[in-house]
Amino acid sequence: MKFSIRGRGMDQIQQLADDIDHSHSIVAITGAGISVAGGGMTYWQMSLSNRRAGVTPRSGGSYRSFLPTYLDNMFSYQPSFAHYSLAEMEEEGKLTGIITTNVDCMHTIAGSKNVAEIQGSFQVNCCSRCGRHYDGYEIWKQEELPMCEACGGEILPWPLYSHISVWDADVRKARKWISEADLILVIGTQGNYGGVYWNYRRSDAVIVQINPGHTGFDRAADLNIREGSDDVFRKLKKLRDENG
């Protein structure tokens, strides 16, 4: 059933704090908005930049020109305050997992352990020739683009290797987590690929959306907080510090 402590007159951050306190299993759904706060570019912005330069990931060997844009962006900024806040919630035992369409690995870098990257990411990598897996984002922290040790083929992150297909193992995680969650935090996302997990949610789950703009989640949400994720989590921390 819906949490009892709610109300239109209540401060939204206080509502969020109360929802977190009264929940037993929280799942966060995140998108580009949570990374933009930390200085990163969205996947669409990076793709647009490359298209304007005449570079696409499917034009033969041009992925060597295409990929550095993503890597430079990924390693030139840090996780946002919201990324770290979610990692802390997981460590405290409040957050079951994070479902994300982001490929930048920022949740993992921030310390989160349970992350379902439903489009894959730079943590899931395959040889373009033999298909051998090289998992972990550290493989990209080198001057040269990585090559397969087995056959010498070029290694691609899953979104390029699969042409933006879903990563089935993490889709299964997302479905399990959301089916058990009594509180769902929707943070900085438009809901892309939501169809693969959204209908698995509990019918009585409380849904809180944190996004400065309007999205397809507006009607589903019990509470819409029209602010950036970093601002919200900073206010939440301040409230909790004041209340001891």
Side-chain angles (χ1 to χ4, degrees):
M1 60 185 294
K2 298 290 186 182
F3 304 149
S4 59
I5 302 181
R6 305 189 65 79
R8 287 185 178 180
M10 189 182 298
D11 176 81
Q12 288 188 321
I13 304 302
Q14 182 65 62
Q15 282 194 31
L16 174 59
D18 288 344
D19 285 343
I20 291 172
D21 288 342
H22 287 81
S23 69
H24 299 286
S25 178
I26 304 172
V27 165
I29 301 172
T30 70
I34 195 170
S35 290
V36 168
M41 295 169 64
T42 67
Y43 194 88
W44 179 83
Q45 287 171 327
M46 289 184 286
S47 297
L48 179 62
S49 175
N50 274 308
R51 286 200 299 270
R52 285 173 174 169
V55 179
T56 70
R58 299 186 186 184
S59 55
S62 69
Y63 105 91
R64 285 181 162 274
S65 299
F66 181 88
L67 202 52
T69 301
Y70 292 84
L71 298 179
D72 289 346
N73 179 66
M74 176 176 159
F75 294 122
S76 65
Y77 67 97
Q78 297 296 315
S80 66
F81 189 86
H83 281 117
Y84 288 117
S85 297
L86 292 179
E88 289 176 5
M89 287 176 63
E90 180 186 88
E91 188 175 354
E92 292 168 357
K94 295 296 292 184
L95 185 71
T96 300
I98 298 167
I99 303 169
T100 188
T101 53
N102 294 342
V103 301
D104 59 10
C105 309
M106 285 296 119
H107 285 297
T108 299
I109 293 171
S112 292
K113 301 295 190 297
N114 297 323
V115 185
E117 297 169 321
I118 59 174
Q119 292 185 102
S121 72
F122 284 92
Q123 299 194 91
V124 181
N125 311 295
C126 299
C127 173
S128 58
R129 185 182 299 171
C130 70
R132 180 175 177 176
H133 271 256
Y134 291 86
D135 293 343
Y137 66 86
E138 294 86 355
I139 193 174
W140 301 104
K141 288 188 172 183
Q142 53 185 313
E143 292 183 5
E144 297 293 329
L145 293 176
M147 307 297 287
C148 179
E149 296 175 356
C151 72
E154 296 173 327
I155 296 174
L156 299 175
W158 180 257
L160 296 185
Y161 180 84
S162 67
H163 302 298
I164 317 297
S165 177
V166 296
W167 180 238
D168 288 336
D170 279 11
V171 169
R172 289 192 292 271
K173 290 180 187 177
R175 289 173 176 173
K176 181 179 186 298
W177 294 341
I178 203 168
S179 71
E180 299 170 349
D182 55 6
L183 174 59
I184 301 171
L185 305 179
V186 181
I187 306 169
T189 180
Q190 297 293 319
N192 296 333
Y193 291 87
V196 301
Y197 62 82
W198 184 248
N199 290 336
Y200 288 77
R201 73 189 186 279
R202 284 173 45 171
S203 60
D204 63 344
V206 170
I207 301 169
V208 176
Q209 178 176 218
I210 301 170
N211 200 317
H214 292 277
T215 75
F217 288 104
D218 287 1
R219 290 189 176 183
D222 298 284
L223 176 64
N224 283 298
I225 303 178
R226 300 294 185 202
E227 298 182 57
S229 55
D230 272 17
D231 291 338
V232 169
F233 279 99
R234 284 194 175 96
K235 290 178 181 179
L236 182 64
K237 183 180 186 305
K238 181 180 179 181
L239 177 65
R240 290 185 174 281
D241 289 345
E242 290 174 347
N243 293 338

